[in-house]
Amino acid sequence: MTAALPDAADRLDFPHRHLLGIEDLSRDDITLLLDLSDSYADGNRSAWRKLDLLRGHTVINLFFEESTRTRTSFELAAKRLGGDVINIAVQHSAIKKGETLIDTAMTLNAMHADALVVRHPQAGAVHLLAEKVNCSVVNAGDGSHEHPTQALLDALTIRRHKKRLEGLEVAICGDIAHSRVARSNIYLLQAMGARVRVIAPPTLLPPAIDRLGVEVFTDMRAGLAGVDIVMMLRLQRERMQGTYVPSVREYFRYWGLDYEKLAYAKPDALIMHPGPMNRGVEIDTAVADDIDRSLIREQVEMGVAVRMACLDVLTRHAGHRAN
Ligand code: NCD
């Protein structure tokens, strides 16, 4: 089985013990992860599917928030590398946050896991856990803060289609204020030389958004003009306290992606969405399912490859190093 090892594995030099956010990564770190993910993506489409790189390693998926695709994707990634996986779903409402997190860390330390994949509704909770456990920690989404593997899988999907990231114009549209996907993508795309615009109703823009170096639009047609990539976001109603949009119907009319608005982007512009989609709210069904323009299914496929690469570098190569 080792004959099937991706080439990039020979030149691994990932200087981090954890993957907590894209903000902590250099351009070289990102390139290394994308190159390795690329090899895994090819491998996943070929005959070799199951490796034994993580044999004897245990990955724990610790999810304090509902998730289907991200959790499954990490599980599949760890299993394809030959690791053992344990899924722990914690009902957030039932816990006293700070105290329980530390207790959880102590319990997990006693189990000698090799990697911990954590999703938590509060920004910063994953960092806190990383300080307390002995193993590598991967942030699978913390509140509205970061979701690094999503940004990596988005970048990999774009790179495989456009052959580059540098110089691309990318529009991230919709609920920017509540989106960890937007934040991680902004960091990653800018680090790799792409230009990022955000398009949202004023109520769904975070206050200091211009400090992130993006161009800000509140009008879809103006914001989409000439872009290479249109990345749509879900309206994250579970994170909203109060009313941010007048009605779903009106939201779709002004900020939903349909063919009429898409026509302002470049003719070969590609469409993305991290899922789960609210069809007819932020994206028209026909646009989402357009096999010539939509990369949404491929994003899911790339997610497994990216998570294999991340678990690979963290568990095999960086476990002993300081962050
Ligand atoms: C995203 C998330 O959880 O942040 N989804 C995902 O990871 N597949 C985006 C979202 O929930 O809208």
Side-chain angles (χ1 to χ4, degrees):
M1 271 302 189
T2 40
L5 257 179
D7 295 344
D10 296 336
R11 48 189 165 77
L12 288 175
D13 187 19
F14 191 71
H16 306 276
R17 182 169 182 213
H18 306 295
L19 178 60
L20 301 179
I22 298 292
E23 201 181 3
D24 311 324
L25 303 184
S26 69
R27 193 179 171 124
D28 284 350
D29 296 336
I30 295 168
T31 303
L32 182 147
L33 287 173
L34 291 179
D35 290 350
L36 185 58
S37 302
D38 222 355
S39 314
Y40 279 123
D42 291 341
N44 283 342
R45 284 185 181 179
S46 75
W48 68 266
R49 286 272 208 85
K50 178 120 179 161
L51 296 169
D52 57 6
L53 298 176
L54 291 197
R55 194 169 47 187
H57 288 72
T58 307
V59 176
I60 298 185
N61 277 328
L62 180 63
F63 278 61
F64 293 85
E65 226 182 50
E66 296 257 314
S67 163
T68 309
R69 87 183 59 204
T70 304
R71 198 213 17 90
T72 313
S73 181
F74 271 106
E75 182 170 353
L76 200 52
K79 287 184 171 164
R80 286 215 177 135
L81 293 173
D84 296 317
V85 187
I86 289 169
N87 293 305
I88 306 178
V90 186
Q91 279 306 324
H92 185 62
S93 56
I95 59 171
K96 278 196 231 134
K97 292 156 216 162
E99 200 182 55
T100 304
L101 260 189
I102 307 303
D103 285 347
T104 307
M106 296 307 149
T107 308
L108 295 172
N109 278 341
M111 291 181 187
H112 302 291
D114 297 284
L116 190 57
V117 177
V118 190
R119 171 167 285 195
H120 198 284
Q122 284 180 318
V126 182
H127 278 74
L128 178 67
L129 208 50
E131 284 169 16
K132 306 287 176 195
V133 294
N134 298 329
C135 62
S136 291
V137 174
V138 183
N139 182 358
D142 64 328
S144 307
H145 178 228
E146 278 232 42
H147 190 353
T149 56
Q150 179 70 43
L152 287 162
L153 77 87
D154 289 339
L156 179 64
T157 311
I158 297 172
R159 205 179 73 164
R160 283 169 73 100
H161 280 265
K162 297 285 185 191
K163 309 293 172 225
R164 64 192 168 107
L165 295 169
E166 177 105 45
L168 291 179
E169 291 279 353
V170 181
I172 306 180
C173 319
D175 187 356
I176 312 288
H178 301 99
S179 178
R180 50 201 178 203
V181 175
R183 197 171 294 271
S184 290
N185 263 300
I186 290 169
Y187 291 137
L188 190 151
L189 290 164
Q190 290 184 338
M192 302 309 282
R195 283 186 294 273
V196 182
R197 312 169 181 187
V198 296
I199 315 173
T203 47
L204 292 178
L205 283 166
I209 184 71
D210 33 353
R211 273 198 247 143
L212 293 180
V214 295
E215 244 189 298
V216 181
F217 293 86
T218 52
D219 178 78
M220 280 289 271
R221 292 170 187 82
L224 290 180
V227 299
D228 299 283
I229 302 289
V230 184
M231 199 180 276
M232 300 307 298
L233 298 174
R234 183 174 67 89
L235 261 191
Q236 310 230 331
R237 278 176 275 197
E238 76 277 18
R239 293 190 213 291
M240 296 181 189
Q241 276 138 19
T243 316
Y244 286 78
V245 290
S247 72
V248 158
R249 222 175 132 145
E250 203 166 316
Y251 184 80
F252 181 72
R253 186 157 151 234
Y254 289 104
W255 289 282
L257 187 68
D258 54 15
Y259 281 114
E260 190 271 320
K261 298 188 195 83
L262 182 61
Y264 288 80
K266 283 196 183 142
D268 61 350
L270 297 169
I271 301 147
M272 305 178 79
H273 192 303
M277 277 185 279
N278 293 308
R279 291 170 181 267
V281 178
E282 68 262 355
I283 191 164
D284 174 60
T285 276
V287 173
D289 296 338
D290 186 331
I291 48 167
D292 297 319
R293 309 290 297 273
S294 170
L295 301 179
I296 297 170
R297 278 172 61 180
E298 204 173 314
Q299 286 173 269
V300 179
E301 181 188 355
M302 292 306 122
V304 178
V306 158
R307 283 150 189 150
M308 288 172 82
C310 293
L311 291 173
D312 179 356
V313 296
L314 292 175
T315 54
R316 289 200 309 143
H317 304 276
H320 58 283
R321 290 183 211 152
N323 194 16

